[in-house]
Amino acid sequence: MTDTLIDRRDLAFQLYEVLDTENLTTRERFSEHSRDTFDAVIETADKMAREKFATHNSAADKDEPKFVNGQVEMLPQVKEAVEAYAQAGFIAGRYDYELGGMQLPESVMAACNGFFTAANPGTAGYPFLTTAAANLIRVFGNEQQKTTFLPNMLCGRFSGTMALTEPHAGSSLADIRTSASPADNGHYLIKGAKIYISGGEQSITDNIVHMVLARIKGAPAGVKGISLFIVPKFLVDQEGNPTERNGVSLAGLIHKLGYRGTTSTALSFGDDAPCQGYLVGEPHQGLKYMFQMMNEARVGVGFGAAVIGYRGYMHSLEYAKDRLQGRKASEKNPESSQVPIIDHADVRRMLLAQKAYSEGGLALCLYGARLMDDQHTHPDEQKREEAGKLLDLLTPVIKAWPSDYGPKANDLAIQVYGGAGYTREYPVEQCWRDNRLNPIHEGTNGIQALDLLGRKIWQDQSHGLQLLMQEMQVDLEAATTDRCQQWALSLSETLQQAVKVTQSLGKSLVGGEVDKTLANASCYLHLFGHIIVAWMWLRQANTAAHALGSANSDNERNFYQGKLQAAQYFFHWELPTVAQDLVLLRNQDDTCLNMKSEWF
Amino acid sequence: MTDTLIDRRDLAFQLYEVLDTENLTTRERFSEHSRDTFDAVIETADKMAREKFATHNSAADKDEPKFVNGQVEMLPQVKEAVEAYAQAGFIAGRYDYELGGMQLPESVMAACNGFFTAANPGTAGYPFLTTAAANLIRVFGNEQQKTTFLPNMLCGRFSGTMALTEPHAGSSLADIRTSASPADNGHYLIKGAKIYISGGEQSITDNIVHMVLARIKGAPAGVKGISLFIVPKFLVDQEGNPTERNGVSLAGLIHKLGYRGTTSTALSFGDDAPCQGYLVGEPHQGLKYMFQMMNEARVGVGFGAAVIGYRGYMHSLEYAKDRLQGRKASEKNPESSQVPIIDHADVRRMLLAQKAYSEGGLALCLYGARLMDDQHTHPDEQKREEAGKLLDLLTPVIKAWPSDYGPKANDLAIQVYGGAGYTREYPVEQCWRDNRLNPIHEGTNGIQALDLLGRKIWQDQSHGLQLLMQEMQVDLEAATTDRCQQWALSLSETLQQAVKVTQSLGKSLVGGEVDKTLANASCYLHLFGHIIVAWMWLRQANTAAHALGSANSDNERNFYQGKLQAAQYFFHWELPTVAQDLVLLRNQDDTCLNMKSEWF
């Protein structure tokens, strides 16, 4: 078992050599930062993740939270880890100095959080949810709500949840039924049931702040009648101290396949006792507010999937270097020594694929984080707007691609370990189980595909798509070595075909063939995702090819050669798989659309 | 949760309409059988699997065997189920009447065992291992060994294991070190350690008969110095009754990701007490004997993978028909009713893929079982030989294809369930975990790929391959409807390209480029596997297209339409994915071969 969560050399390459994150320090918001301060925070995250989170990752999986006498029993190390995270200032890492924050760029915070998820996704879930809930209050809450809840959340005394899903509606938020009735003092009384609420109950913090979607009585049907409420587990006094219990209660814990450290709960509101909720912002705007936070949440899911993929890759790489077994096919002498399994070409294939998926996924997510930084802090207003549009367009890909390919990487990690990988004595099976959540939550990947092909591509007269192609053009032209130019050519040809098919799908949509056009949206998402990740690999390859000439040690040369070989893997083994998507999309293949329920 | 393990209508279609299993009753060995007797046995298996096996599948997963005070504690239902299986005569199902058997064809026995694995792979493991061990003794053991052990194994009083793997050698059987020293009475004393021995300890039977590979002192190095021994847990007297404990002991239980009901053990031989072993057959022939049983074992793994895939498909299909959620993309009224999720094209895609994988895998494995029947019972000697060669060639595919695609089906089943699929409250996550073993055991799929491209393809001057192409030709020519003819054309074109690439790989092998030629063996296995399964779908489609015209009920017409649509799915969505394999193989892509350990 390796200690490495994310290869620091790779992270430095991606942040500083590919993305020029240091350049952010020229912006006013980050002017007190330097590469040194960024690296110090990253070092703190890496160390804390290894020492406080990784240490109980397996234990928290094996000994998952239990519902005993109305309380949730959990390993004490979870509370310690979450408190350490909050005390180090990570929950408020992005915030203004005056709010007690560190004014860190999203790029650096995302990298830091990567270590925690790689180390222990179950425990990391709690502070991440708190961060998300606090962001909602910070942006949309009124002054009183901010004063009452934010300080307690930022220091880790209160945690947060996102309470959207209901049992009968699942992904269909338009159908939620939880109701809110106006009561005295401008409060609302909340009544209903929620399910799959992560962190909905725990024994870590003094209070839990649920961000709840509900309908005010008489609200319009569908997504336009949903409001957002703060529903604390304990009511609080003026100073924000917890007082009496609010009427939200744990109906049961859900037992998951993985991510077991994070409780998943069924919650009931207003069942046994009145449940107070405080409206956030305007009535009926709840889903709009949620969706403004959704990009972050979805990028977060993609990031998590990429780094769990990465973690399995690190484990299986170490194992493959250590484990002796068999000989090359050409070696006929049975008395020759067994070789490390990394010497078998098929094992190298499985490691290269993992490298291509996890480093490619990491590059994609860090690019997404950089877009967030540009959207919020780029000195040029037009660039800020453009970054926002690019991020909007890419969000379904950043959510779905790593959550499709991170689990594939973990599957290969198990296979590299062979029989050992199938046992709970080795760490990779947990990575695989944990990662399986990511294609499901924050909008299944099927929903991401509909979001991309049904909405994002066409938004603003496809301005996002045009911007994207301009950005790609820069890197296509920056390819200078033979290898990079060859890859740039493949990418550019694939891109042209994708554009053509996009135009034909657009015509079909305009012609009113909505169901038929969207029937194969998942192929479109795969096509689009592979093109984007191929671009990420071209960017890395361009940088590596350039740096290779002036690299001054074997280690450095090996690092860059590895990047180039993984890029080659992606261009030879992965990008061509989209040929099939192109055919199905071009033909608007109707096999699935026309399958009848009664034929199954 | 559905009760259906394998759709009986589908099984009847595959056995009787596609494979003409009834025709076997014209052979002398099966002359006392009829379709009625076959169906009666299948009915018994289905019922027993549902009533005795499925009922504790989840319980045995959650409450796995424990090592307490030197004993293995297990749920009592496991013993009851295993005993019921033996008492119904299934262990001896294939055997001669005079050995207490039912003289059932392999095709029917395979189908029967499919129900047990679909119901509960963990519990089914025990009698399956006993069957395999008994077969070795029956074929290679001497009279005394047969008399002493077989009757006790066939009635389920003793169980069996296959003890091959050792900790330091894994898949590399050439490197096993367990030693056998000649002792008095012609016995051997066995000393060494084995790992991942399924059923190596349990609390079900009175005795365990380990079939152990070991080296007689002074034997040649490598695979040619390995002998096979019977090592009982308890020594037995002349009548075969257990007496004193033999020196084989449980070093520990291994905790697996899935298949938890079957104990996986580390065993030590001759550590604390002398351990007697009885040589089976000739010295140094052990691996040869094992490999003569290997086809059966590998077909068994493929079968298991296919039916676990099938089981998940049945569950998710029922869920998709029941679960209401969301609306069609074209439906804009939020007050319209939610629809069953099977109405969403993307859900139908996930169900169709599962249907294509699991019914395609089942067809492949039943075809393999039929080849075994033909190999052993075809009246024409040449046909017997040919069936043997075909089976030899196809074994790596029958093992690997369903074990790659069965887990993919289970992954899709989870996705159809969404959040519910990720919980242990629903059954599909267990299918997914259980099935993950299959690409690993009985030779990893990487090893299957080397076996196919490094050995099987070229065996007997590629006679097997020629026979295969003749067999496929029959079905290519039998395609009569437009749809079937189109699919036949795709298949035939792909086949031609595969033959060309095979020839070029052959030249490269003959030219001594062993490592380079075999570097991308896994692509070859995928190419070859997809061609074979496309053929299986063409056979089914030909049959369905023909039967559709004379079908006399809506149910029947729906069934055949479903077969045709699943065939279309395979030909439109799956077969074309081999284009990428063809390119990589044609170019002898060296990305993986040339990746260096230090570049990772």
Side-chain angles (χ1 to χ4, degrees), chain B residues 156-209:
Chain B
R157 187 181 172 209
F158 292 4
S159 70
T161 78
M162 311 295 263
L164 286 69
T165 306
E166 299 186 6
H168 69 287
S171 302
S172 184
L173 292 175
D175 294 285
I176 69 172
R177 292 181 195 147
T178 295
S179 68
S181 321
D184 306 341
N185 309 328
H187 298 161
Y188 286 79
L189 287 173
I190 309 292
K191 203 158 168 42
K194 298 281 179 184
I195 195 164
Y196 304 133
I197 308 309
S198 294
E201 192 53 275
Q202 30 84 346
S203 49
I204 304 170
T205 57
D206 294 350
N207 203 353
I208 304 176
V209 182

Side-chain angles (χ1 to χ4, degrees), chain B residues 265-280:
Chain B
T265 62
L267 296 177
S268 65
F269 297 84
D271 232 21
D272 305 322
C275 177
Q276 288 191 21
Y278 316 119
L279 181 69
V280 177

Side-chain angles (χ1 to χ4, degrees), chain A residues 291 298 389-401 444-459 462 464-465 468 498 502 505-506 509 517-518 520-532 585:
Chain A
F291 267 87
R298 288 180 170 173
K389 286 179 180 180
L390 272 172
L391 180 64
D392 249 16
L393 173 63
L394 289 179
T395 294
V397 174
I398 300 177
K399 192 275 174 179
W401 197 92
T444 63
N445 287 0
I447 287 174
Q448 304 302 323
L450 292 174
D451 183 41
L452 179 68
L453 183 58
R455 217 156 57 95
K456 293 294 178 65
I457 289 284
W458 321 109
Q459 225 163 247
S462 299
L465 189 57
L468 177 70
T502 305
L505 291 166
L509 268 181
T517 315
L518 297 183
N520 300 332
S522 69
C523 292
Y524 192 83
L525 178 64
H526 184 261
L527 166 67
F528 201 79
H530 254 44
I531 287 176
I532 299 297
L585 291 164

Side-chain angles (χ1 to χ4, degrees), chain B residues 12-62:
Chain B
F13 171 77
Q14 303 222 25
L15 279 180
Y16 300 116
E17 297 175 61
V18 179
L19 287 168
D20 193 11
T21 303
E22 195 170 357
N23 171 275
L24 291 176
T25 61
T26 62
R27 298 184 187 169
E28 201 190 320
R29 180 168 180 83
F30 309 122
S31 59
E32 293 187 29
H33 282 292
S34 63
R35 174 162 175 177
D36 285 346
T37 64
F38 292 164
D39 284 343
V41 181
I42 288 170
E43 172 62 23
T44 302
D46 186 2
K47 191 163 181 286
M48 183 180 291
R50 277 182 285 115
E51 293 176 359
K52 294 271 181 187
F53 284 70
T55 38
H56 68 281
N57 184 44
S58 170
D61 176 68
K62 293 191 168 84

Side-chain angles (χ1 to χ4, degrees), chain A residues 378-456:
Chain A
H378 200 288
D380 179 340
E381 189 188 333
Q382 192 189 330
K383 292 281 178 194
R384 289 202 295 277
E385 228 176 76
E386 290 178 1
K389 286 179 180 180
L390 272 172
L391 180 64
D392 249 16
L393 173 63
L394 289 179
T395 294
V397 174
I398 300 177
K399 192 275 174 179
W401 197 92
S403 67
D404 277 335
Y405 283 85
K408 276 194 217 297
N410 293 142
D411 180 69
L412 291 167
I414 292 177
Q415 198 69 14
V416 168
Y417 272 80
Y422 196 67
T423 71
R424 279 131 63 205
E425 277 81 0
Y426 289 84
V428 284
E429 62 86 28
Q430 186 189 342
C431 293
W432 187 65
R433 285 187 289 106
D434 286 347
N435 220 347
R436 185 62 187 82
L437 178 61
N438 289 315
I440 298 173
H441 68 163
E442 292 296 346
T444 63
N445 287 0
I447 287 174
Q448 304 302 323
L450 292 174
D451 183 41
L452 179 68
L453 183 58
R455 217 156 57 95
K456 293 294 178 65

Side-chain angles (χ1 to χ4, degrees), chain B residues 409-473:
Chain B
N410 293 141
D411 180 69
L412 291 167
I414 292 177
Q415 198 69 14
V416 168
Y417 273 80
Y422 196 67
T423 72
R424 281 131 62 206
E425 276 82 359
Y426 289 85
V428 284
E429 63 86 28
Q430 186 188 342
C431 294
W432 187 65
R433 284 187 290 107
D434 288 346
N435 220 346
R436 186 60 188 83
L437 178 61
N438 289 316
I440 298 173
H441 69 162
E442 292 296 346
T444 63
N445 287 1
I447 288 174
Q448 303 302 324
L450 291 174
D451 183 42
L452 179 67
L453 183 57
R455 218 156 56 95
K456 294 294 179 64
I457 289 284
W458 321 109
Q459 223 164 248
D460 286 323
Q461 284 91 44
S462 298
H463 191 201
L465 189 58
Q466 289 152 31
L467 291 169
L468 177 70
M469 288 172 62
Q470 286 165 23
E471 290 293 306
M472 288 176 72
Q473 199 53 40

Side-chain angles (χ1 to χ4, degrees), chain B residues 482-503:
Chain B
D482 283 357
R483 287 172 91 185
C484 290
Q485 280 175 345
Q486 219 175 59
W487 300 333
L489 188 65
S490 307
L491 176 55
S492 152
E493 283 171 1
T494 311
L495 183 61
Q496 282 169 34
Q497 294 176 52
V499 168
K500 229 186 253 173
V501 93
T502 304
Q503 286 162 346

